[in-house]
Every structure is written in structure tokens, then in C-alpha cells.
């Protein structure tokens, strides 16, 4: 295996096959493999590739100074790099690290109208307002979000074939238990994935070496790199406040209610002083925000409290790296995956839901007598999703399904170290199959 197979590979292939494809922006957090995937695709599909990395090749930062006409831009590029070849119909122009030159987003309208060259942009999204970039070239570009590896991609990296994954999925459709061998294999791989996370450098290191040696230092370096980027790209926000929030995420996840509270960030901290900080971290792809629903009912997007939320790491490997030394030993030596009050399982389920395109919502009433970790939906109903670090009671899940006060809830899902099943009220699935939930919901109707 020369590289990790990624789902973005098919997205890029389908994009090129589309006869009217527009310039593409691949957005996502740093170091998740965007550049590698695009470069691999470019080499395999184009005779000529013009790659400009605005962060490393600052001599190209002024190529838009004379305007956004395609010929003007290409003339500026080839004047600076005469060795680059461009041929209409067989050239990809790859603008990498676009956060260092947001003007490239404005040029996409001109490239789309011109139509002679394919264009892909990519960047870390730190230090720029992606919402602002989205207002440029509206209707003349396509946006794709890329994430760290999900569990299915991890299984591919371990050598498992799509047919084997389809077999797991068929068990879900048929609501038939997995064999003990299937359960053991899935759980072993999922435990690896829980510790590693989905950052390509970490996964590749593990695949190449077959053990965890060197993994924690690599994860901690990624954590440090993210902190360095925060200080570099904080823009108009106070970088100290961004770091304060970022570093406190494990603290909040270690609490029973896991709620983010400004007052716990620092002595005398106030909400207005931290305005925009969590949104910045979310927009940068570093964290996933999970909002508290005002009432367990549809619609999801119009029924939550924007001031009441939980923060999860965008990649569980970064959460692992942020844990103290004692927790690391407990996790790696004692195999205690319930460390941090089940926060590891919640974080990875949140990650897997987001990677399927779900927004994150939870519920906890004022008396804490009713609480649910996540909610998703199908065409007709609101679906509570409970994440259990152990096989304890499911009082809240029973209440949501049985109580007539919640008419939008028809059934639920319980994720844990358990087999596939259905008890007439909720389905049970092992954590490892969370990545198939959206596909399962579409096919079961």
C-alpha cells in the first residue's frame, strides 16, 4: 500500500467526470490529507498540473493584482515560473493554502466562465473567514468538506474490502447479530481507531509499524502544531482566549454534564469577551459543537439554544493527546476505554456523525432527569441516540420513546459494546458501526 485510500478520491473522480463541473474548493482542518489527495488525483488525471502553494511560494501572492481575467492570471503565473505548462482542456490549476491568499476564491468565477481549465482550491481555513469566501464566486464553484479518516477508511487502510463492510451493513438491515468473530474483529479495530484518531500521519505510522510506538509523540506534535496555527491565524480574535478554550475542552468533557461554561475558562471570564471564539474553532474544523435542544422535537435546526453547547474535538486522536499522563496510562496500559466518564466514546460518535453530514444536538432538562447524548432524524421521526460506555440503564431513552409528550420520537438507537438488536423500542449497535447509520436509515425505509 503506497497511500491511504480516502473517500475524497471518489468525490474528485466524480467531479472530473461531470461535464459541467465548476471550480472546486476542498475545505477542512489542517493536516487531514487534503493536499496529498488532490496531488494524487491530479497526477493520475491531467497531463499538466500547475500547483501553487500560497503559504510556501509567496512570490505568487500578487498574481491577481492585475485583475481576475484568466489569461492575465496565467500570464502572471508563467512569467514567474516559465517552466510551467498550461494546455486548455488538459490542465489542472491547484491553488493550495488558499488561506494565505483569499483573493484566489474571487478568481473562480472567471475560471468557470472561461471554462478552459479545471481549478481546485484547498486550505486550512484558519485565519480566513470561510463565510466571507463563500460569498465570492457564488454559483460558480463547488464546495466539499474533507475530514480526518473515518472508521470505514481506517478499515480500508487495514486491508478490509468493501464487500466485508457491506456484510456488516447487511446485518444492520436484517437486524441480525454479528458473529463473535465479527464482533471481536470490529472491536479490536475500533479500539485502535479510538486511540489513533483519523489524522493520516498517525494512521500511516501505525499501519507501517504495526504498533503504538511513537504514536503519542506524533499526536502531541499535531496538538502543538494546531496551537501554533491558532496563534498564527487568530486574526482579529484574542489568540490567548482561543487557546484558553481549546485547552479546556478535555476539562469540560470530563464533567458529568460536559457543558461548555465560559465562567470555568478563567477567573472572571465573561461571555462577551469570548464572542466568536468557539465559532472560530468550529469554522477551522478543529472542534465540533453540539447544541442543546430546547425540547426534543422536530425540526432540529430551529429548536436549540445557541448559548448551551458542548465542544468535542474534531478528531479523537487530539483528545487522546490532550489527556494527562495518568489517563494515558489508564487508557493504553489498563485498556480502560471508559476513562473521562465515557467522553472518548461520545467524542468519537460525534466525529462519526459529523463525517456523515449530521449536525450535533443533545438534550438535558433543567433538573437533569432526562438527558440524551445525540439526536438524528429520518424522514418521519426524531431519533435519540444514546452512547453508553457500559451496558447500564437506559431510562432517558425509554422515557423519550414511551412518553406522549415527545410525539416526534418513534424509536431510538443505543450505541455501546453490544451486538445488533431490536427490543421493540430501540435498536442496539456496536460503536464501530456508527459510520453506517446514515446509510442504514436511508435503506431501511
Amino acid at each position: 500500500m503506497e497511500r491511504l485510500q480516502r473517500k475524497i478520491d471518489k468525490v474528485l473522480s466524480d467531479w472530473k467526470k461531470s461535464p459541467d463541473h465548476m471550480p472546486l474548493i476542498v475545505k477542512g482542518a489542517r493536516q487531514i490529507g487534503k493536499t496529498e489527495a488532490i496531488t494524487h488525483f491530479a497526477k493520475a488525471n491531467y497531463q499538466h498540473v500547475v500547483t501553487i502553494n500560497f503559504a510556501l511560494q509567496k512570490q505568487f501572492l500578487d498574481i491577481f493584482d492585475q485583475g481576475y481575467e484568466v489569461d492575465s492570471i496565467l500570464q502572471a503565473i508563467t512569467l514567474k515560473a516559465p517552466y510551467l505548462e498550461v494546455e486548455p482542456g488538459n490542465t489542472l490549476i491547484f491553488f493550495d493554502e488558499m488561506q494565505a491568499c483569499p483573493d484566489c476564491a474571487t478568481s473562480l468565477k472567471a475560471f468557470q466562465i472561461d471554462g478552459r481549465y479545471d481549478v481546485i482550491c484547498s486550505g486550512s481555513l484558519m485565519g480566513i473567514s470561510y463565510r466571507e469566501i463563500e460569498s465570492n464566486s457564488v454559483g460558480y464553484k463547488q464546495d466539499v468538506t474533507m475530514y480526518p479518516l473515518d472508521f470505514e477508511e481506517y478499515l480500508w487502510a487495514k486491508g478490509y474490502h468493501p464487500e466485508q463492510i457491506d456484510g456488516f451493513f447487511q446485518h444492520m438491515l436484517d437486524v441480525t447479530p454479528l458473529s463473535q468473530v465479527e464482533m471481536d474483529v470490529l472491536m479490536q479495530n475500533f479500539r485502535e481507531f479510538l486511540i489513533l484518531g483519523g489524522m493520516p500521519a498517525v494512521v500511516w505510522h501505525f499501519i507501517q509499524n504495526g504498533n503504538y510506538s511513537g504514536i503519542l509523540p506524533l499526536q502531541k506534535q499535531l496538538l502543538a502544531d494546531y496551537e501554533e496555527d491558532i496563534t498564527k491565524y487568530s486574526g482579529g480574535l484574542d489568540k490567548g482566549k482561543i487557546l484558553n478554550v481549546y485547552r479546556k475542552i478535555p476539562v469540560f468533557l470530563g464533567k458529568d454534564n460536559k457543558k461548555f461554561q465560559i465562567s470555568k475558562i478563567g477567573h472572571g471570564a465573561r461571555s462577551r469577551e469570548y464572542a466568536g471564539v468557539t465559532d472560530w474553532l468550529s469554522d477551522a474544523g478543529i472542534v465540533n459543537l453540539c447544541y442543546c435542544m430546547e425540547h426534543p422535537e422536530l425540526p432540529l435546526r430551529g429548536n436549540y439554544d445557541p448559548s448551551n453547547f458542548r465542544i468535542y474535538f474534531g478528531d479523537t486522536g487530539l483528545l487522546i493527546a490532550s489527556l494527562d499522563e495518568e489517563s494515558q496510562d489508564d487508557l493504553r496500559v489498563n485498556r480502560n476505554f471508559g476513562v473521562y466518564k465515557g467522553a472518548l466514546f461520545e467524542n468519537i460518535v460525534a466525529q462519526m456523525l459529523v463525517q456523515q453530514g449530521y449536525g450535533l444536538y443533545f438534550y438535558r432538562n433543567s433538573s437533569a432527569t432526562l438527558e440524551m447524548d445525540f439526536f438524528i432524524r429520518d424522514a418521519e421521526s426524531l431519533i435519540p441516540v444514546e452512547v453508553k460506555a457500559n451496558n447500564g440503564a437506559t431510562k432517558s431513552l425509554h422515557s423519550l420513546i414511551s412518553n406522549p409528550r415527545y410525539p416526534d420520537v418513534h424509536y431510538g438507537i443505543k450505541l455501546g459494546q453490544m451486538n445488533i438488536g431490536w427490543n421493540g423500542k430501540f435498536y442496539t449497535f456496536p460503536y464501530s458501526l456508527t459510520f453506517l447509520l446514515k446509510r442504514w436509515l436511508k435503506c431501511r425505509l
Side-chain angles (χ1 to χ4, degrees), residues 160-196:
Y160 291 93
H161 301 291
E163 295 78 14
Q164 293 171 298
I165 296 171
D166 287 342
F168 300 142
F169 180 67
Q170 193 61 48
H171 275 283
M172 295 176 70
L173 281 181
D174 297 339
V175 197
T176 54
L178 298 164
S179 70
Q180 191 59 52
V181 171
E182 290 171 319
M183 283 289 291
D184 291 344
V185 167
L186 276 172
M187 183 52 69
Q188 173 60 36
N189 282 284
F190 189 70
R191 284 173 175 166
E192 293 171 359
F193 184 63
L194 186 66
I195 293 174
L196 297 170

Side-chain angles (χ1 to χ4, degrees), residues 20 70 79 166 172 240:
D20 300 316
V70 170
L79 277 172
D166 287 342
M172 295 176 70

Side-chain angles (χ1 to χ4, degrees), residues 293-298 303 363-367 369-370 375 382 398-410:
M293 299 180 68
E294 294 182 339
H295 190 72
E297 63 184 10
L298 295 172
N303 177 36
Y363 182 72
R364 181 183 174 98
N365 63 11
S366 57
S367 60
T369 56
L370 183 64
F375 287 89
L382 179 68
H398 281 291
S399 296
L400 285 166
I401 298 167
S402 304
N403 196 321
R405 291 184 58 199
Y406 314 112
D408 290 337
V409 179
H410 302 156

Side-chain angles (χ1 to χ4, degrees), residues 291-356:
Y291 293 97
C292 184
M293 299 180 68
E294 294 182 339
H295 190 72
E297 63 184 10
L298 295 172
L300 283 168
R301 292 187 181 274
N303 177 36
Y304 67 90
D305 180 356
S307 66
N308 185 355
F309 55 89
R310 296 170 175 174
I311 304 181
Y312 296 102
F313 277 96
D315 178 72
T316 301
L318 296 181
L319 171 58
I320 293 291
S322 71
L323 299 180
D324 55 59
E325 188 174 331
E326 291 74 20
S327 296
Q328 294 284 354
D329 291 341
D330 197 15
L331 178 67
R332 297 171 189 270
V333 178
N334 300 327
R335 314 291 286 175
N336 178 15
F337 290 89
V339 70
Y340 261 68
K341 301 183 185 298
L344 296 183
F345 290 109
E346 281 191 37
N347 198 100
I348 203 163
V349 167
Q351 179 180 333
M352 296 166 91
L353 292 177
V354 167
Q355 289 172 329
Q356 294 172 78

Side-chain angles (χ1 to χ4, degrees), residues 117-310:
Y117 306 96
D118 288 352
V119 180
I120 297 179
C121 296
S122 179
S124 74
L125 307 186
M126 281 189 178
I128 59 174
S129 170
Y130 191 79
R131 293 183 180 125
E132 182 178 325
I133 281 183
E134 285 182 324
S135 68
N136 295 330
S137 301
V138 172
Y140 296 91
K141 62 179 178 58
Q142 178 183 346
D143 300 285
V144 174
T145 301
M146 186 174 174
Y147 300 99
L149 278 84
D150 67 12
F151 186 55
E152 185 169 18
E153 290 172 309
Y154 180 72
L155 290 176
W156 293 345
K158 291 292 296 290
Y160 291 93
H161 301 291
E163 295 78 14
Q164 293 171 298
I165 296 171
D166 287 342
F168 300 142
F169 180 67
Q170 193 61 48
H171 275 283
M172 295 176 70
L173 281 181
D174 297 339
V175 197
T176 54
L178 298 164
S179 70
Q180 191 59 52
V181 171
E182 290 171 319
M183 283 289 291
D184 291 344
V185 167
L186 276 172
M187 183 52 69
Q188 173 60 36
N189 282 284
F190 189 70
R191 284 173 175 166
E192 293 171 359
F193 184 63
L194 186 66
I195 293 174
L196 297 170
M199 302 300 275
V202 175
V203 173
W204 182 255
H205 186 91
F206 181 80
I207 296 297
Q208 293 294 100
N209 293 280
N211 58 59
Y212 294 104
S213 176
I215 292 297
L216 183 56
L218 192 56
Q219 289 175 320
K220 285 190 175 295
Q221 184 58 54
L222 286 169
L223 201 64
D225 290 344
Y226 267 55
E227 291 202 2
E228 181 180 345
D229 287 336
I230 287 172
T231 63
K232 187 187 303 183
Y233 297 117
S234 56
L237 293 174
D238 186 323
K239 61 186 178 184
K241 289 183 170 59
I242 300 176
L243 287 171
N244 282 346
V245 172
Y246 182 56
R247 291 168 178 168
K248 286 285 174 51
I249 295 174
V251 176
F252 292 116
L253 290 180
K255 304 295 184 182
D256 284 329
N257 65 6
K258 298 180 176 62
K259 180 182 177 180
F260 173 76
Q261 295 174 283
I262 287 291
S263 60
K264 304 297 183 182
I265 292 291
H267 180 70
R270 298 179 180 179
S271 295
R272 66 174 180 270
E273 298 171 348
Y274 283 80
V277 168
T278 53
D279 286 338
W280 187 94
L281 288 167
S282 177
D283 289 345
I286 300 174
V287 304
N288 294 319
L289 302 181
C290 183
Y291 293 97
C292 184
M293 299 180 68
E294 294 182 339
H295 190 72
E297 63 184 10
L298 295 172
L300 283 168
R301 292 187 181 274
N303 177 36
Y304 67 90
D305 180 356
S307 66
N308 185 355
F309 55 89
R310 296 170 175 174

